[in-house]
Structure formats: structure tokens, C-alpha cells
Amino acid sequence: MEISLSILKIDYAKIGEALDELKPELQYVHLDIMDGHFVPNISFGADLVKSIHKDSSLFFDTHLMIDHPKQYIKSFVDAGSDAITFHLEAVDHPVELIDYIHSFGVKAGISIKPATDVTALKPYLKYADLILIMSVEPGFGGQRFMPEAIEKVKYLKEEKDKHQYSYWISIDGGIQDQTLPLVASYLDLAVVGSYITSAKNSLEKLKELKHICR
Ligand code: DX5
Ligand code: ZN
């Protein structure tokens, strides 16, 4: 399992410095895109993603919390995304959107909000490269982990093993040293924001979480 760093709560004027500090341990960066409609907050867009994508050795894991995601796929691919995850609740034809994302040569992910039943993903599991379970209401960093997410990632792990699917299982929201052990055995990628980025020594926090993963 790997850690994907959410930059949502970093001071945007200091993203470069923050990433440099974490560089020795950092492989995955999680970009939270919010439109103020699908979620009650606005974050940043493709231009900011592009400007921090100087180091292309990092894997850019883009999480679109937006309506009409198809319109924006190309700009986030051009900005350097390696995987693009959209919300099941935001689209009518998930398989078409997965195919569209794949046409750019990047990985395609589907995410669900806490209120969405995990079995709603079942028809799409064979097509997706990544499934992202929200363990907080999407919109803000620094919220408390919702334990209901544990059963969801467990279900995804069982389905993956049973059918030999290839998707990565990921979780997003409230992940820290106490909550990661509750889900670690089911995951491929854990998204972590404020626990790392609000810490005094963020590199130590990232190392500590990676140690839990081993
Ligand atoms: C919430 C975002 C998360 C969030 C994670 O809508 O999708 O990626 O930034 O931050 P923490 O780890 O602080 O919950
Ligand atoms: Zn996210």
C-alpha cells in the first residue's frame, strides 16, 4: 500500500516548498478539484496542477469533485494527471467516461460519497483502475474519519480477490495513525492530507504512515 498526499490544506503559495520537503518519501500526490456545486467548496483548477507538475516522477492522482467531469478531463490530463477519478453521483454513463479517460492513456477511477451504497459500484468494477471510498463528506480537509467506510473497502477487497479485478482500492478523508490501521489491509492507496501537511515535521509523519502500511 502507498500514501497519496492531498495538498488541499497546504498554503498554495508554499506548495513547492512543502513538496520539496517531502520529496525523499513522496511518490503520489492527490489533487482535490472542487467546483462549489458538487461539493460546497471551491479549490483549484488545472492551471495550478500544471504549475506544480514540474517533477514528473511523481504520480498525479486527480480527484474531481465536480459536476460535468467530462468537460474537464483533457485539461487535467494536459496538466499532468496520471489518474483521474470522478464521482459516480456526478455522471449518467460511468463506463463511457472511463473509456474517455482511457483514450488519453491515463488511469480512470470512480469515487463514492459516504451516503452512496458501495454495491452501486458493482457494474463498473471490471472497468475501473481505481475505486476511491470517501471516508468524510467531500469538500473539506481535516474532518473526522467515518467508520462506515471500513465495510466498503472490505467489500471492494473481497470483490477484487473473488473476480481478480485489477483496480486499486483507495480511501480519502480523516486518515491518520489511528485510522489507517483499521483499513490498511484492504487498501492499495491511502489519501492523507492534514495529518501530514499540518504537522510540524511532515516528512516524519509521512514516514510513520508508510511504516504502518508495511
Ligand atoms: C476531501 C478531500 C480529501 C481531503 C483529505 O473532500 O477529497 O482528499 O483533502 O484531507 P484529510 O486527510 O485532512 O481528511
Ligand atoms: Zn480527495
Side-chain angles (χ1 to χ4, degrees):
M1 198 234 304
E2 302 287 347
I3 302 290
S4 190
L5 178 83
S6 165
I7 62 163
L8 185 63
K9 299 249 300 181
I10 298 179
D11 176 346
Y12 295 157
K14 295 181 183 154
I15 294 177
E17 287 163 46
L19 295 183
D20 279 349
E21 189 188 332
L22 292 165
K23 199 177 169 118
E25 294 289 333
L26 192 64
Q27 285 93 32
Y28 296 82
V29 178
H30 182 88
L31 295 317
D32 285 308
I33 311 303
M34 304 178 182
D35 65 356
H37 293 274
F38 184 74
V39 290
N41 193 13
I42 297 176
S43 58
F44 50 84
D47 287 345
L48 187 121
V49 175
K50 192 172 193 162
S51 74
I52 60 174
H53 190 262
K54 292 179 197 114
D55 182 353
S56 57
S57 65
L58 292 172
F59 186 99
F60 269 36
D61 158 34
T62 298
H63 176 194
L64 300 180
M65 286 161 275
I66 62 175
D67 288 323
H68 312 296
K70 189 175 178 188
Q71 288 178 28
Y72 302 94
I73 300 299
K74 187 176 183 305
S75 61
F76 284 101
V77 170
D78 292 344
S81 301
D82 297 289
I84 299 184
T85 296
F86 62 87
H87 267 264
L88 185 63
E89 302 89 352
V91 299
D92 294 325
H93 304 290
V95 179
E96 275 178 40
L97 189 53
I98 288 172
D99 286 347
Y100 182 67
I101 294 171
H102 281 161
S103 75
F104 294 98
V106 302
K107 292 184 187 296
I110 312 182
S111 184
I112 54 169
K113 289 180 170 183
T116 302
D117 198 297
V118 68
T119 57
L121 290 164
K122 199 170 167 52
Y124 315 113
L125 294 178
K126 59 171 167 290
Y127 305 107
D129 302 303
L130 189 157
I131 303 290
L132 179 65
I133 296 298
M134 291 309 301
S135 40
V136 297
E137 270 315 324
F140 300 90
Q143 303 181 75
R144 277 175 80 90
F145 177 79
M146 299 169 77
E148 302 91 294
I150 301 170
E151 281 303 311
K152 292 183 175 180
V153 286
K154 183 165 182 257
Y155 168 85
L156 290 171
K157 175 70 172 148
E158 286 165 1
E159 287 295 303
K160 180 176 171 173
D161 290 347
K162 190 158 106 192
H163 301 283
Q164 300 191 322
Y165 291 143
S166 58
Y167 54 78
W168 294 346
I169 304 171
S170 187
I171 199 163
D172 187 4
I175 298 295
Q176 28 85 342
D177 61 337
Q178 301 296 310
T179 53
L180 184 57
L182 306 174
V183 286
S185 60
Y186 309 123
L187 296 182
D188 300 289
L189 196 62
V191 177
V192 184
S194 52
Y195 182 70
I196 295 172
T197 61
S198 303
K200 274 211 179 79
N201 191 336
S202 52
L203 183 59
E204 283 309 310
K205 292 290 181 195
L206 176 55
K207 278 189 192 161
E208 177 199 325
L209 291 183
K210 284 181 134 187
H211 189 73
I212 295 174
C213 299
R214 300 286 168 251

